[in-house]
Amino acid sequence: MVPERSAGVSKYLLDKFLFTIDRDPALVERYRGEPRATVEWWEAEEANRILSCIADERSTWLAFDDVEREALATHDHVRLFELGAHPFLTLTLFIAMFERDHGPLEYQLAYGAALQHLSMPYPDIAT
Amino acid sequence: MAEIVAVIASTHHPFYYRASTAVGEDRPPFADEWVPKIEAFRETLTRARPDVLVMVGSDHFHQLWLDNMPQFLVGKAPFYDANWYNEEREFGLPRMTLAGQEDLSAHVLRGGLDMGFDLAFSNELRIDHSITCPIITLRPEADLPIVPIYTNIFAPPLPRPERFVALGKAIRELVESWPSDQRVAIIGTGHLSLELGGPRQFGEHGPDPEFDRRAVEWIANGDIDGCCREVTLDSLHLPGNATHGFMDFMLMMGVAGEGAKAHHVDSLDLFHTMEAYFTWYPNGAPV
């Protein structure tokens, strides 16, 4: 029996992707340059790794759905926000990838402006 | 018994280090107003002549992660390395190593458990800017041993605001019952209204200046009752999506005590978020 996956688990995996990429300088560059390939590699090789465990003791059940995979593969921070990914993780990683292409605060302001259509309450980020 | 020589509550702004050390074209226009405020705030701690610092903050998904997330955690280690790659990258924060005060950590853990707080602990904790920012602003020598206490204001479900206040009251009792002649300062950092990664981020002021004004009044006057009447886990979404960090200010109000007026109150209206600084002297201001 495979129980139906809950929305909370799905958000957890989005957050896990953002968290594990953000803390690794090489992965930040790889995700900036080749987003779709990085997401595919990460889902195949890393998504089920329990971070405090050896590789053999991995989970067996974590996967993105199509909407989540596409949002990550297209660097779509608006969609990630709508899906309930943790905003701090998304912001931190996206600043690391894209601030360098812009003037001071220009990227951060554009990032917020792209979310102007959203009103309170924001999507739930609880995992 | 140990003496609490200062209680300090502050915002922790990761931009301060870079802003205050930058020169020439790199120096932001607000730095010259900000630095004297921080230096005056620093003096409130220096005057208290502390031997030990209890440091309350919140890990920002650095060492603590969603596969094993504590609500309240006390560090118990002889040393704490500090700051993370993504904080060096985004804020230019330096790497640091701080000594620990393990005896006080053990006392807080044992006593906290016995008072009904099921505190998690860590024997190997790398701390982040929620603790190093106040070290940089208040004790840049980084020469005093610390007891780090982390709270979860970040990954829901969160403890309720009243629980933060209660833990603050307990921390005060625990430090005051520590059998030691050390002089202890309790320092905690959080946020006023703040939005990160949402439509209201990086505005000309904090996302909710009216919340900030009221929050400064609650804290400066020790108005725990008034604050708890207004602030809930749900209400904290309204001033900005990262405003749950205000609960660390509520914890520090618990440390300072109901009705305790702060001896030092200051704030600075920066773009993005308001800075706020408070110091209480439980046994009177040092001469």
Side-chain angles (χ1 to χ4, degrees), chain B residues 9-72:
Chain B
S10 170
T11 42
H12 62 249
H13 204 314
F15 292 172
Y16 179 76
Y17 179 76
R18 186 178 269 162
S20 63
T21 55
V23 294
E25 282 184 7
D26 294 333
R27 191 170 177 87
F30 47 83
D32 289 340
E33 185 182 4
W34 201 357
V35 170
K37 283 178 177 283
I38 289 296
E39 288 175 347
F41 190 32
R42 181 181 305 154
E43 181 61 20
T44 69
L45 177 66
T46 307
R47 287 173 66 198
R49 296 183 293 109
D51 302 311
V52 181
L53 306 178
V54 173
M55 303 294 301
V56 178
S58 299
D59 180 80
H60 296 65
F61 284 145
H62 284 123
Q63 185 167 338
L64 307 183
W65 175 239
L66 297 170
D67 61 1
N68 190 2
M69 179 57 74
Q71 300 293 359
F72 299 112

Short mmCIF file of all heavy atoms in Angstrom, two decimals, chain B residues 9-72:
data_model
loop_
_atom_site.label_atom_id
_atom_site.label_comp_id
_atom_site.label_asym_id
_atom_site.label_seq_id
_atom_site.Cartn_x
_atom_site.Cartn_y
_atom_site.Cartn_z
N ALA B 9 17.67 43.39 24.17
CA ALA B 9 16.89 42.89 23.04
C ALA B 9 17.19 43.77 21.83
O ALA B 9 17.27 44.99 21.95
CB ALA B 9 15.40 42.93 23.35
N SER B 10 17.35 43.12 20.68
CA SER B 10 17.79 43.87 19.50
C SER B 10 17.28 43.18 18.24
O SER B 10 17.05 41.97 18.23
CB SER B 10 19.33 43.89 19.49
OG SER B 10 19.82 44.40 18.27
N THR B 11 17.15 43.97 17.20
CA THR B 11 17.05 43.36 15.88
C THR B 11 18.44 42.84 15.49
O THR B 11 19.44 43.29 16.05
CB THR B 11 16.59 44.41 14.86
OG1 THR B 11 17.29 45.64 15.12
CG2 THR B 11 15.10 44.68 14.98
N HIS B 12 18.49 41.90 14.57
CA HIS B 12 19.82 41.45 14.08
C HIS B 12 19.86 41.69 12.57
O HIS B 12 19.24 40.98 11.80
CB HIS B 12 20.10 39.99 14.44
CG HIS B 12 19.17 38.97 13.86
ND1 HIS B 12 18.28 38.26 14.62
CD2 HIS B 12 19.00 38.52 12.60
CE1 HIS B 12 17.60 37.44 13.86
NE2 HIS B 12 18.01 37.56 12.62
N HIS B 13 20.56 42.72 12.20
CA HIS B 13 20.58 43.08 10.79
C HIS B 13 21.88 42.62 10.16
O HIS B 13 22.95 43.14 10.49
CB HIS B 13 20.42 44.59 10.62
CG HIS B 13 19.86 44.96 9.29
ND1 HIS B 13 20.34 44.40 8.12
CD2 HIS B 13 18.85 45.79 8.92
CE1 HIS B 13 19.66 44.89 7.10
NE2 HIS B 13 18.74 45.73 7.55
N PRO B 14 21.83 41.66 9.26
CA PRO B 14 23.09 41.13 8.70
C PRO B 14 23.83 42.12 7.83
O PRO B 14 24.99 41.89 7.51
CB PRO B 14 22.62 39.91 7.88
CG PRO B 14 21.19 40.16 7.59
CD PRO B 14 20.65 40.96 8.75
N PHE B 15 23.19 43.24 7.45
CA PHE B 15 23.89 44.23 6.62
C PHE B 15 24.82 45.13 7.45
O PHE B 15 25.61 45.87 6.89
CB PHE B 15 22.88 45.14 5.89
CG PHE B 15 22.07 44.46 4.83
CD1 PHE B 15 21.01 45.13 4.21
CD2 PHE B 15 22.33 43.15 4.42
CE1 PHE B 15 20.25 44.52 3.23
CE2 PHE B 15 21.57 42.54 3.44
CZ PHE B 15 20.52 43.23 2.84
N TYR B 16 24.68 45.11 8.78
CA TYR B 16 25.44 46.09 9.58
C TYR B 16 26.95 45.91 9.40
O TYR B 16 27.68 46.91 9.28
CB TYR B 16 25.09 46.01 11.07
CG TYR B 16 25.90 47.01 11.87
CD1 TYR B 16 25.57 48.36 11.85
CD2 TYR B 16 27.04 46.63 12.57
CE1 TYR B 16 26.34 49.30 12.51
CE2 TYR B 16 27.82 47.57 13.24
CZ TYR B 16 27.46 48.89 13.22
OH TYR B 16 28.23 49.83 13.86
N TYR B 17 27.42 44.70 9.42
CA TYR B 17 28.87 44.47 9.38
C TYR B 17 29.47 45.11 8.13
O TYR B 17 30.44 45.86 8.20
CB TYR B 17 29.17 42.97 9.43
CG TYR B 17 30.65 42.66 9.37
CD1 TYR B 17 31.46 42.83 10.48
CD2 TYR B 17 31.24 42.19 8.20
CE1 TYR B 17 32.81 42.57 10.43
CE2 TYR B 17 32.59 41.91 8.14
CZ TYR B 17 33.37 42.10 9.25
OH TYR B 17 34.71 41.84 9.19
N ARG B 18 28.87 44.80 7.00
CA ARG B 18 29.41 45.34 5.74
C ARG B 18 29.21 46.86 5.66
O ARG B 18 30.11 47.59 5.25
CB ARG B 18 28.72 44.64 4.57
CG ARG B 18 29.29 44.99 3.22
CD ARG B 18 28.58 44.22 2.11
NE ARG B 18 29.21 42.96 1.80
CZ ARG B 18 28.61 41.97 1.15
NH1 ARG B 18 27.35 42.09 0.79
NH2 ARG B 18 29.25 40.85 0.87
N ALA B 19 28.02 47.33 6.09
CA ALA B 19 27.74 48.78 6.02
C ALA B 19 28.71 49.57 6.88
O ALA B 19 29.20 50.63 6.50
CB ALA B 19 26.30 49.05 6.47
N SER B 20 29.02 49.03 8.06
CA SER B 20 29.84 49.80 9.01
C SER B 20 31.32 49.73 8.67
O SER B 20 32.09 50.58 9.12
CB SER B 20 29.61 49.29 10.44
OG SER B 20 30.03 47.94 10.55
N THR B 21 31.74 48.75 7.91
CA THR B 21 33.16 48.63 7.58
C THR B 21 33.48 49.14 6.19
O THR B 21 34.65 49.28 5.84
CB THR B 21 33.63 47.16 7.70
OG1 THR B 21 32.78 46.33 6.88
CG2 THR B 21 33.56 46.66 9.14
N ALA B 22 32.43 49.41 5.39
CA ALA B 22 32.67 49.87 4.02
C ALA B 22 33.16 51.32 4.01
O ALA B 22 32.79 52.12 4.88
CB ALA B 22 31.39 49.74 3.20
N VAL B 23 33.99 51.65 3.04
CA VAL B 23 34.48 53.02 2.90
C VAL B 23 34.28 53.48 1.45
O VAL B 23 34.06 52.67 0.55
CB VAL B 23 35.98 53.12 3.26
CG1 VAL B 23 36.19 52.83 4.73
CG2 VAL B 23 36.80 52.18 2.41
N GLY B 24 34.36 54.81 1.29
CA GLY B 24 34.29 55.38 -0.06
C GLY B 24 32.95 55.09 -0.73
O GLY B 24 31.90 55.17 -0.09
N GLU B 25 33.01 54.76 -1.98
CA GLU B 25 31.79 54.56 -2.76
C GLU B 25 30.96 53.38 -2.27
O GLU B 25 29.75 53.30 -2.52
CB GLU B 25 32.16 54.32 -4.23
CG GLU B 25 32.51 55.59 -4.98
CD GLU B 25 32.76 55.32 -6.46
OE1 GLU B 25 32.53 54.17 -6.89
OE2 GLU B 25 33.19 56.25 -7.16
N ASP B 26 31.62 52.43 -1.59
CA ASP B 26 30.89 51.25 -1.12
C ASP B 26 30.09 51.52 0.15
O ASP B 26 29.29 50.70 0.57
CB ASP B 26 31.89 50.11 -0.84
CG ASP B 26 32.55 49.62 -2.12
OD1 ASP B 26 31.92 49.76 -3.19
OD2 ASP B 26 33.68 49.11 -2.04
N ARG B 27 30.35 52.66 0.78
CA ARG B 27 29.68 52.93 2.07
C ARG B 27 28.26 53.42 1.81
O ARG B 27 28.06 54.46 1.17
CB ARG B 27 30.48 53.96 2.86
CG ARG B 27 30.01 54.10 4.31
CD ARG B 27 31.00 54.94 5.09
NE ARG B 27 30.59 55.19 6.46
CZ ARG B 27 30.84 54.38 7.49
NH1 ARG B 27 31.49 53.25 7.27
NH2 ARG B 27 30.44 54.68 8.71
N PRO B 28 27.26 52.73 2.34
CA PRO B 28 25.88 53.14 2.07
C PRO B 28 25.54 54.43 2.82
O PRO B 28 26.14 54.73 3.87
CB PRO B 28 25.04 51.97 2.58
CG PRO B 28 25.90 51.28 3.57
CD PRO B 28 27.33 51.50 3.16
N PRO B 29 24.59 55.21 2.31
CA PRO B 29 24.30 56.52 2.90
C PRO B 29 23.79 56.45 4.33
O PRO B 29 23.95 57.41 5.09
CB PRO B 29 23.22 57.10 1.96
CG PRO B 29 22.70 55.94 1.18
CD PRO B 29 23.80 54.94 1.10
N PHE B 30 23.20 55.32 4.73
CA PHE B 30 22.64 55.23 6.08
C PHE B 30 23.68 54.82 7.13
O PHE B 30 23.40 54.84 8.32
CB PHE B 30 21.46 54.24 6.11
CG PHE B 30 21.73 52.94 5.42
CD1 PHE B 30 22.40 51.92 6.08
CD2 PHE B 30 21.32 52.72 4.10
CE1 PHE B 30 22.65 50.71 5.44
CE2 PHE B 30 21.57 51.52 3.46
CZ PHE B 30 22.25 50.50 4.14
N ALA B 31 24.90 54.47 6.70
CA ALA B 31 25.89 53.94 7.65
C ALA B 31 26.28 54.96 8.71
O ALA B 31 26.46 54.63 9.88
CB ALA B 31 27.12 53.46 6.89
N ASP B 32 26.39 56.24 8.30
CA ASP B 32 26.88 57.24 9.26
C ASP B 32 25.87 57.55 10.35
O ASP B 32 26.25 58.03 11.43
CB ASP B 32 27.26 58.53 8.51
CG ASP B 32 28.53 58.34 7.68
OD1 ASP B 32 29.28 57.40 7.98
OD2 ASP B 32 28.74 59.12 6.74
N GLU B 33 24.59 57.29 10.11
CA GLU B 33 23.59 57.44 11.16
C GLU B 33 23.52 56.17 12.02
O GLU B 33 23.23 56.22 13.22
CB GLU B 33 22.22 57.73 10.54
CG GLU B 33 21.14 58.02 11.57
CD GLU B 33 19.77 58.26 10.92
OE1 GLU B 33 19.65 58.10 9.68
OE2 GLU B 33 18.83 58.58 11.67
N TRP B 34 23.80 55.04 11.38
CA TRP B 34 23.63 53.75 12.04
C TRP B 34 24.75 53.48 13.04
O TRP B 34 24.51 53.04 14.18
CB TRP B 34 23.61 52.66 10.96
CG TRP B 34 22.99 51.35 11.33
CD1 TRP B 34 22.48 50.98 12.55
CD2 TRP B 34 22.81 50.23 10.45
NE1 TRP B 34 21.99 49.69 12.48
CE2 TRP B 34 22.18 49.22 11.20
CE3 TRP B 34 23.11 49.99 9.11
CZ2 TRP B 34 21.86 47.97 10.65
CZ3 TRP B 34 22.79 48.75 8.57
CH2 TRP B 34 22.16 47.75 9.32
N VAL B 35 25.99 53.76 12.65
CA VAL B 35 27.14 53.39 13.47
C VAL B 35 27.10 54.04 14.86
O VAL B 35 27.30 53.34 15.87
CB VAL B 35 28.46 53.71 12.72
CG1 VAL B 35 29.66 53.57 13.65
CG2 VAL B 35 28.60 52.78 11.51
N PRO B 36 26.82 55.36 14.99
CA PRO B 36 26.78 55.93 16.35
C PRO B 36 25.69 55.31 17.23
O PRO B 36 25.86 55.19 18.45
CB PRO B 36 26.50 57.42 16.12
CG PRO B 36 26.78 57.67 14.69
CD PRO B 36 26.65 56.38 13.96
N LYS B 37 24.57 54.93 16.62
CA LYS B 37 23.51 54.28 17.39
C LYS B 37 23.99 52.94 17.93
O LYS B 37 23.73 52.58 19.08
CB LYS B 37 22.26 54.09 16.53
CG LYS B 37 21.46 55.36 16.33
CD LYS B 37 20.26 55.13 15.43
CE LYS B 37 19.41 56.40 15.28
NZ LYS B 37 18.56 56.65 16.47
N ILE B 38 24.69 52.20 17.10
CA ILE B 38 25.21 50.91 17.54
C ILE B 38 26.28 51.11 18.62
O ILE B 38 26.34 50.38 19.61
CB ILE B 38 25.78 50.13 16.34
CG1 ILE B 38 24.63 49.65 15.44
CG2 ILE B 38 26.63 48.94 16.81
CD1 ILE B 38 23.68 48.67 16.07
N GLU B 39 27.11 52.13 18.45
CA GLU B 39 28.16 52.35 19.45
C GLU B 39 27.57 52.75 20.81
O GLU B 39 28.06 52.33 21.86
CB GLU B 39 29.16 53.39 18.93
CG GLU B 39 30.01 52.81 17.80
CD GLU B 39 30.95 53.80 17.14
OE1 GLU B 39 30.79 55.01 17.37
OE2 GLU B 39 31.84 53.34 16.39
N ALA B 40 26.50 53.53 20.78
CA ALA B 40 25.83 53.89 22.04
C ALA B 40 25.18 52.65 22.67
O ALA B 40 25.21 52.47 23.90
CB ALA B 40 24.78 54.97 21.79
N PHE B 41 24.61 51.81 21.82
CA PHE B 41 23.99 50.56 22.30
C PHE B 41 25.06 49.65 22.89
O PHE B 41 24.88 49.06 23.97
CB PHE B 41 23.31 49.90 21.10
CG PHE B 41 22.41 48.74 21.39
CD1 PHE B 41 21.68 48.64 22.56
CD2 PHE B 41 22.28 47.71 20.44
CE1 PHE B 41 20.83 47.56 22.80
CE2 PHE B 41 21.43 46.64 20.67
CZ PHE B 41 20.72 46.55 21.84
N ARG B 42 26.20 49.56 22.21
CA ARG B 42 27.31 48.72 22.70
C ARG B 42 27.75 49.16 24.09
O ARG B 42 28.03 48.34 24.96
CB ARG B 42 28.48 48.79 21.72
CG ARG B 42 29.67 47.95 22.10
CD ARG B 42 30.80 48.12 21.08
NE ARG B 42 30.32 47.84 19.73
CZ ARG B 42 30.83 48.34 18.61
NH1 ARG B 42 31.88 49.16 18.68
NH2 ARG B 42 30.34 48.04 17.44
N GLU B 43 27.76 50.47 24.29
CA GLU B 43 28.22 51.00 25.57
C GLU B 43 27.31 50.52 26.72
O GLU B 43 27.77 50.34 27.85
CB GLU B 43 28.25 52.53 25.49
CG GLU B 43 28.73 53.23 26.75
CD GLU B 43 30.15 52.87 27.17
OE1 GLU B 43 30.92 52.39 26.30
OE2 GLU B 43 30.48 53.03 28.36
N THR B 44 26.02 50.29 26.42
CA THR B 44 25.12 49.82 27.49
C THR B 44 25.52 48.43 27.98
O THR B 44 25.28 48.10 29.14
CB THR B 44 23.64 49.81 27.05
OG1 THR B 44 23.41 48.78 26.07
CG2 THR B 44 23.20 51.16 26.51
N LEU B 45 26.09 47.64 27.10
CA LEU B 45 26.58 46.32 27.54
C LEU B 45 27.95 46.46 28.21
O LEU B 45 28.19 45.86 29.25
CB LEU B 45 26.67 45.35 26.35
CG LEU B 45 27.24 43.97 26.71
CD1 LEU B 45 26.31 43.21 27.66
CD2 LEU B 45 27.51 43.13 25.46
N THR B 46 28.82 47.25 27.61
CA THR B 46 30.17 47.41 28.16
C THR B 46 30.11 47.89 29.62
O THR B 46 30.82 47.37 30.49
CB THR B 46 30.96 48.43 27.31
OG1 THR B 46 30.90 48.02 25.95
CG2 THR B 46 32.40 48.51 27.77
N ARG B 47 29.21 48.86 29.87
CA ARG B 47 29.09 49.41 31.23
C ARG B 47 28.68 48.35 32.25
O ARG B 47 28.97 48.48 33.44
CB ARG B 47 28.02 50.51 31.25
CG ARG B 47 28.43 51.80 30.60
CD ARG B 47 27.23 52.75 30.52
NE ARG B 47 26.76 53.18 31.83
CZ ARG B 47 25.57 53.71 32.06
NH1 ARG B 47 24.70 53.85 31.07
NH2 ARG B 47 25.22 54.09 33.27
N ALA B 48 27.98 47.33 31.81
CA ALA B 48 27.49 46.29 32.73
C ALA B 48 28.58 45.29 33.12
O ALA B 48 28.38 44.48 34.01
CB ALA B 48 26.29 45.57 32.11
N ARG B 49 29.72 45.33 32.44
CA ARG B 49 30.88 44.47 32.72
C ARG B 49 30.51 42.98 32.84
O ARG B 49 30.75 42.34 33.86
CB ARG B 49 31.59 44.94 33.99
CG ARG B 49 32.19 46.35 33.87
CD ARG B 49 32.94 46.76 35.12
NE ARG B 49 32.05 46.94 36.27
CZ ARG B 49 32.00 46.13 37.33
NH1 ARG B 49 32.82 45.11 37.42
NH2 ARG B 49 31.16 46.37 38.31
N PRO B 50 29.92 42.42 31.79
CA PRO B 50 29.52 41.01 31.87
C PRO B 50 30.71 40.07 31.77
O PRO B 50 31.74 40.41 31.18
CB PRO B 50 28.61 40.85 30.64
CG PRO B 50 29.15 41.85 29.66
CD PRO B 50 29.61 43.02 30.49
N ASP B 51 30.55 38.87 32.36
CA ASP B 51 31.53 37.79 32.21
C ASP B 51 31.06 36.74 31.22
O ASP B 51 31.87 36.00 30.65
CB ASP B 51 31.75 37.08 33.55
CG ASP B 51 32.22 38.02 34.64
OD1 ASP B 51 33.17 38.79 34.39
OD2 ASP B 51 31.63 37.99 35.74
N VAL B 52 29.75 36.60 31.08
CA VAL B 52 29.13 35.53 30.29
C VAL B 52 27.96 36.14 29.53
O VAL B 52 27.26 37.01 30.07
CB VAL B 52 28.60 34.39 31.19
CG1 VAL B 52 27.99 33.28 30.35
CG2 VAL B 52 29.69 33.85 32.10
N LEU B 53 27.72 35.65 28.31
CA LEU B 53 26.58 36.11 27.52
C LEU B 53 25.67 34.93 27.20
O LEU B 53 26.11 33.94 26.60
CB LEU B 53 27.05 36.74 26.21
CG LEU B 53 28.07 37.87 26.30
CD1 LEU B 53 28.47 38.34 24.90
CD2 LEU B 53 27.54 39.05 27.12
N VAL B 54 24.41 35.01 27.60
CA VAL B 54 23.39 34.08 27.12
C VAL B 54 22.82 34.71 25.86
O VAL B 54 22.36 35.85 25.89
CB VAL B 54 22.29 33.86 28.18
CG1 VAL B 54 21.16 33.02 27.60
CG2 VAL B 54 22.88 33.19 29.42
N MET B 55 22.86 33.99 24.76
CA MET B 55 22.52 34.56 23.46
C MET B 55 21.31 33.83 22.87
O MET B 55 21.40 32.65 22.49
CB MET B 55 23.69 34.42 22.48
CG MET B 55 25.01 35.03 22.95
SD MET B 55 25.00 36.84 23.11
CE MET B 55 24.59 37.35 21.46
N VAL B 56 20.19 34.52 22.76
CA VAL B 56 18.97 33.93 22.21
C VAL B 56 18.83 34.35 20.74
O VAL B 56 18.87 35.55 20.42
CB VAL B 56 17.72 34.40 22.99
CG1 VAL B 56 16.45 33.82 22.37
CG2 VAL B 56 17.84 34.01 24.46
N GLY B 57 18.69 33.38 19.87
CA GLY B 57 18.52 33.66 18.45
C GLY B 57 17.76 32.53 17.77
O GLY B 57 17.13 31.70 18.44
N SER B 58 17.84 32.51 16.45
CA SER B 58 17.10 31.51 15.69
C SER B 58 17.91 31.10 14.48
O SER B 58 18.29 31.95 13.67
CB SER B 58 15.77 32.08 15.21
OG SER B 58 14.97 32.45 16.30
N ASP B 59 18.16 29.82 14.36
CA ASP B 59 18.87 29.30 13.19
C ASP B 59 18.01 29.52 11.94
O ASP B 59 16.82 29.22 11.94
CB ASP B 59 19.14 27.81 13.39
CG ASP B 59 19.88 27.19 12.23
OD1 ASP B 59 21.10 27.36 12.16
OD2 ASP B 59 19.21 26.53 11.39
N HIS B 60 18.64 30.03 10.89
CA HIS B 60 17.92 30.30 9.64
C HIS B 60 18.16 29.15 8.65
O HIS B 60 18.76 29.35 7.60
CB HIS B 60 18.40 31.60 9.01
CG HIS B 60 18.13 32.83 9.82
ND1 HIS B 60 18.71 33.07 11.04
CD2 HIS B 60 17.35 33.92 9.56
CE1 HIS B 60 18.29 34.25 11.50
NE2 HIS B 60 17.46 34.77 10.63
N PHE B 61 17.70 27.96 8.97
CA PHE B 61 17.94 26.79 8.12
C PHE B 61 19.43 26.67 7.80
O PHE B 61 19.82 26.60 6.63
CB PHE B 61 17.13 26.85 6.83
CG PHE B 61 15.68 26.53 6.98
CD1 PHE B 61 14.73 27.17 6.20
CD2 PHE B 61 15.24 25.56 7.87
CE1 PHE B 61 13.38 26.87 6.31
CE2 PHE B 61 13.89 25.25 7.99
CZ PHE B 61 12.95 25.91 7.21
N HIS B 62 20.25 26.66 8.83
CA HIS B 62 21.66 26.39 8.61
C HIS B 62 22.00 24.99 9.11
O HIS B 62 22.19 24.08 8.34
CB HIS B 62 22.52 27.49 9.25
CG HIS B 62 22.50 28.75 8.45
ND1 HIS B 62 22.10 29.97 8.95
CD2 HIS B 62 22.80 28.98 7.14
CE1 HIS B 62 22.16 30.88 7.98
NE2 HIS B 62 22.58 30.30 6.89
N GLN B 63 22.02 24.84 10.45
CA GLN B 63 22.27 23.48 10.98
C GLN B 63 20.96 22.76 11.28
O GLN B 63 20.90 21.54 11.21
CB GLN B 63 23.13 23.57 12.24
CG GLN B 63 23.53 22.20 12.77
CD GLN B 63 24.62 22.28 13.82
OE1 GLN B 63 25.35 23.26 13.90
NE2 GLN B 63 24.73 21.24 14.63
N LEU B 64 19.94 23.50 11.63
CA LEU B 64 18.66 22.89 11.99
C LEU B 64 17.79 22.81 10.74
O LEU B 64 17.58 23.80 10.05
CB LEU B 64 17.98 23.70 13.09
CG LEU B 64 18.86 23.96 14.32
CD1 LEU B 64 18.08 24.70 15.39
CD2 LEU B 64 19.44 22.67 14.87
N TRP B 65 17.27 21.62 10.49
CA TRP B 65 16.56 21.40 9.23
C TRP B 65 15.28 20.61 9.47
O TRP B 65 15.07 20.06 10.55
CB TRP B 65 17.51 20.68 8.24
CG TRP B 65 16.86 20.29 6.97
CD1 TRP B 65 16.75 19.03 6.44
CD2 TRP B 65 16.18 21.17 6.04
NE1 TRP B 65 16.06 19.08 5.27
CE2 TRP B 65 15.70 20.37 5.00
CE3 TRP B 65 15.94 22.54 6.01
CZ2 TRP B 65 14.97 20.90 3.93
CZ3 TRP B 65 15.22 23.07 4.95
CH2 TRP B 65 14.76 22.25 3.92
N LEU B 66 14.44 20.59 8.46
CA LEU B 66 13.08 20.09 8.60
C LEU B 66 13.00 18.58 8.86
O LEU B 66 11.92 18.08 9.17
CB LEU B 66 12.28 20.42 7.34
CG LEU B 66 12.09 21.92 7.06
CD1 LEU B 66 11.51 22.14 5.67
CD2 LEU B 66 11.19 22.55 8.12
N ASP B 67 14.10 17.85 8.72
CA ASP B 67 14.04 16.42 9.05
C ASP B 67 14.20 16.18 10.55
O ASP B 67 14.10 15.02 11.00
CB ASP B 67 15.08 15.61 8.25
CG ASP B 67 16.50 16.02 8.52
OD1 ASP B 67 16.75 16.92 9.35
OD2 ASP B 67 17.40 15.42 7.89
N ASN B 68 14.44 17.25 11.31
CA ASN B 68 14.71 17.05 12.75
C ASN B 68 14.70 18.42 13.41
O ASN B 68 15.74 18.94 13.79
CB ASN B 68 16.06 16.36 12.91
CG ASN B 68 16.32 15.91 14.33
OD1 ASN B 68 15.47 16.07 15.20
ND2 ASN B 68 17.49 15.37 14.56
N MET B 69 13.53 19.03 13.54
CA MET B 69 13.45 20.44 13.88
C MET B 69 13.05 20.64 15.34
O MET B 69 11.93 20.31 15.73
CB MET B 69 12.42 21.13 12.97
CG MET B 69 12.23 22.60 13.22
SD MET B 69 13.73 23.58 13.10
CE MET B 69 13.97 23.62 11.32
N PRO B 70 13.96 21.15 16.16
CA PRO B 70 13.60 21.44 17.55
C PRO B 70 12.86 22.77 17.66
O PRO B 70 13.07 23.67 16.84
CB PRO B 70 14.97 21.54 18.24
CG PRO B 70 15.87 22.05 17.16
CD PRO B 70 15.34 21.49 15.85
N GLN B 71 12.01 22.91 18.67
CA GLN B 71 11.35 24.20 18.92
C GLN B 71 12.25 25.13 19.73
O GLN B 71 12.38 26.31 19.40
CB GLN B 71 10.02 23.98 19.63
CG GLN B 71 9.03 23.12 18.84
CD GLN B 71 8.53 23.78 17.56
OE1 GLN B 71 8.90 24.92 17.24
NE2 GLN B 71 7.71 23.08 16.81
N PHE B 72 12.86 24.58 20.79
CA PHE B 72 13.81 25.37 21.59
C PHE B 72 15.04 24.49 21.82
O PHE B 72 14.89 23.32 22.20
CB PHE B 72 13.20 25.78 22.93
CG PHE B 72 11.97 26.65 22.80
CD1 PHE B 72 10.72 26.18 23.17
CD2 PHE B 72 12.07 27.95 22.31
CE1 PHE B 72 9.58 26.98 23.06
CE2 PHE B 72 10.94 28.76 22.19
CZ PHE B 72 9.70 28.28 22.56
#
